Amino acid sequence: TGSSSTYVSPQLTTVRAMQSIGFETVAAGDSYNDLDMLLASRAGFLFRTTEKIRAEYPQLPAYETYGELLDAIRRTVNTAHPV
């Protein structure tokens, strides 16, 4: 008999757990393994990622410096809607 399982990343599992107890999440990541987490969060940001990922996920703001990322996070947590 065969079994079928769907891989759920630890990042996404953590986001869902935090959301299930009432937290909103803001996440940053750089690679394909982070995308589920970024897309599930209130706001998700690409950080120092590849041009290919930027092109494939234009809905995710992308930043190259810590200062830019921190500014985006601050704007997000200080507003009712994500940046």
Side-chain angles (χ1 to χ4, degrees):
T1 61
S3 66
S4 174
S5 64
T6 301
Y7 174 78
V8 178
S9 72
Q11 297 94 322
L12 180 58
T13 300
T14 301
V15 164
R16 286 181 177 164
M18 297 299 290
Q19 292 169 338
S20 75
I21 58 173
F23 285 94
E24 291 185 359
T25 58
V26 175
D30 67 341
S31 190
Y32 286 103
N33 67 317
D34 298 317
L35 292 171
D36 287 340
M37 166 187 70
L38 300 178
L39 295 169
S41 291
R42 173 181 170 210
F45 305 108
L46 293 167
F47 184 64
R48 295 185 177 172
T49 191
T50 65
E51 288 301 321
K52 182 177 180 186
I53 293 174
R54 280 180 186 244
E56 291 175 2
Y57 292 87
Q59 72 272 37
L60 294 173
Y63 301 101
E64 289 299 314
T65 70
Y66 287 110
E68 291 171 331
L69 179 61
L70 183 57
D71 287 345
I73 292 169
R74 285 181 173 147
R75 285 191 305 272
T76 299
V77 299
N78 290 326
T79 62
H81 302 286
V83 173

